[in-house]
Amino acid sequence: MIVDCAIYRDGHRTEGPEDLSDALAEARAAHGFVWIGLHEPSEKEFDHVTQEFGLHPLAVEDALKAHQRPKLEVYDDSLFLVLKPVVYEPDSDAVSTGEVMLFLGDSFVVTVRHGEGSPLGVVRHRMEQEPELLGKGPTAVMYAVADAVVDHYLDVATELQTDLEELETEVFSPDGGGSRHTASRIYTFKRQILEFRRASGPLALPLTRLAGVGQFGGTVPFVNDRAQPFFRDVSDHLTRVNESVEGLDRLVSDVLSAHLAQMSVRQNDDMRKISAWAAMAAVPTMIAGIYGMNFEHMPELRWVWAYPAVIGLMAALEVLLYRLFKSRGWM
């Protein structure tokens, strides 16, 4: 559905006609632009917007189906940018992603939002408080949305860093590392980082193009060349995010390896203890087994002190074995 629709002239909002064609014509006549915001539109709802603004059918299909990687597509009459905002849920310590698609033309911006992880409402409100920025046209909207998404990446990366430190403390604590749920927590955390990387990693190339640097840098249609330094700033922030995410991924892999090594050491310790107790149990069992064979001619059977002597021998051997295993750290 259409969440918001307005015409902006010299950075100030004005309510235009309800008909999208008339609104676009009015915006062009006033050297302004139309900004239309949609939330999870149906195919029928989006058809009218597509016809009025001449959006490319391939981009429209991507906007309707969602589940796209971050990308930048240039068409004859518009520019299509896909962003994936990331949301951190503190109650469950989980990361989820949404999608924001922007269609940019000479006098219009169409934003399509999927999911809840979207800064569009906040961005529109903030830009309406800064007419000078909003007066730069549709390019300013694209910059503001991309900047808000990437800045929130930094916040989420900080939260994940805190969670990882807590996980490290649990793994390397005397008792916590042996919990049966620790490995599943580490694996779940790694999946969250992977979800984050899928959102932030592919965005590097589109921002590089918009910034006019790198192999694919240059002039991008419908984007003001004077905005390139601003996109370079966003690209620099994204580079910090990607480096942070890569560092988190390496650290969580190291934590998992350390946890598995700890589990292996604990299992070896347990096996040594079990073996030591089994050896101690084997000695009296062997002696008792020999004297339990009930042969007629066996030494010491008629001796009065045979029974206490055998018991004393068992006790002495048990103490000897216990001190031996204790000194070697097996007990």
Side-chain angles (χ1 to χ4, degrees):
M1 63 178 179
I2 296 179
V3 178
D4 201 351
C5 176
I7 297 175
Y8 295 91
R9 300 186 182 94
D10 298 325
H12 296 280
R13 177 180 180 134
T14 59
E15 300 300 331
E18 295 183 1
D19 184 78
L20 297 181
S21 181
D22 293 340
L24 182 59
E26 184 176 332
R28 285 173 174 167
H31 302 288
F33 68 95
V34 181
W35 184 355
I36 299 175
L38 300 100
H39 178 232
E40 298 182 356
S42 64
E43 184 174 353
K44 183 178 180 180
E45 291 172 336
F46 207 45
D47 279 344
H48 184 52
V49 178
T50 301
Q51 294 172 3
E52 295 297 339
F53 293 99
L55 305 180
H56 197 279
L58 292 178
V60 171
E61 181 181 359
D62 290 343
L64 289 174
K65 292 184 177 180
H67 304 294
Q68 303 296 316
R69 299 174 75 252
K71 63 180 179 178
L72 177 67
E73 299 287 351
V74 179
Y75 298 103
D76 294 337
D77 299 322
S78 63
L79 194 68
F80 181 59
L81 176 66
V82 179
L83 302 168
K84 293 184 75 69
V86 174
V87 177
Y88 177 82
E89 300 171 1
D91 295 336
S92 58
D93 294 337
V95 170
S96 61
T97 58
E99 287 191 43
V100 173
M101 287 86 163
L102 289 91
F103 294 89
L104 192 73
D106 57 347
S107 301
F108 68 87
V109 177
V110 178
T111 54
V112 182
R113 176 168 61 93
H114 290 271
E116 299 301 326
S118 167
L120 296 183
V122 176
V123 170
R124 187 189 287 261
H125 178 73
R126 189 186 72 211
M127 293 190 71
E128 289 177 353
Q129 305 303 315
E130 302 179 23
E132 184 178 354
L133 175 61
L134 196 55
K136 302 298 182 182
T139 302
V141 176
M142 178 176 285
Y143 157 73
V145 173
D147 185 56
V149 169
V150 173
D151 282 348
H152 194 59
Y153 285 170
L154 291 169
D155 297 335
V156 174
T158 301
E159 295 288 348
L160 289 177
Q161 180 66 46
T162 302
D163 289 347
L164 180 58
E165 290 173 358
E166 295 175 356
L167 193 58
E168 286 178 324
T169 301
E170 177 183 339
V171 168
F172 293 106
S173 65
D175 301 324
S179 172
R180 67 179 65 182
H181 302 296
T182 302
S184 63
R185 283 194 60 195
I186 297 173
Y187 182 75
T188 300
F189 189 83
K190 192 172 182 64
R191 292 287 302 176
Q192 293 174 3
I193 294 176
L194 177 60
E195 186 73 13
F196 196 170
R197 293 186 68 173
R198 287 174 177 171
S200 64
L203 185 58
L205 181 57
L207 286 180
T208 299
R209 292 183 62 187
L210 292 170
V213 297
Q215 180 180 358
F216 300 98
T219 301
V220 179
F222 309 108
V223 175
N224 194 322
D225 292 343
R226 289 178 294 180
Q228 289 183 347
F230 296 93
F231 283 111
R232 281 199 292 272
D233 181 66
V234 179
S235 180
D236 290 342
H237 290 174
L238 182 64
T239 299
R240 288 173 50 198
V241 170
N242 287 333
E243 290 175 351
S244 177
V245 173
E246 289 177 3
L248 288 172
D249 189 44
R250 288 194 297 269
L251 282 174
V252 76
S253 297
D254 292 342
V255 169
L256 179 59
S257 298
H259 173 67
L260 295 177
Q262 282 185 325
M263 294 299 293
S264 178
V265 170
R266 285 191 176 94
Q267 289 176 352
N268 289 337
D269 289 341
D270 293 341
M271 288 302 299
R272 283 200 298 265
K273 292 178 180 179
I274 293 172
S275 300
W277 285 110
M280 292 176 64
V283 171
T285 302
M286 179 188 68
I287 296 175
I290 292 174
Y291 281 91
M293 290 186 292
N294 297 320
F295 291 121
E296 182 177 356
H297 301 287
M298 292 184 68
E300 295 89 25
L301 285 179
R302 305 292 181 180
W303 187 32
V304 176
W305 296 100
Y307 178 76
V310 170
I311 297 298
L313 177 62
M314 290 182 182
L317 291 175
E318 291 294 301
V319 171
L320 179 63
L321 288 175
Y322 179 82
R323 296 186 63 179
L324 176 63
F325 292 144
K326 188 72 174 179
S327 65
R328 295 185 178 183
W330 284 29
M331 301 291 290

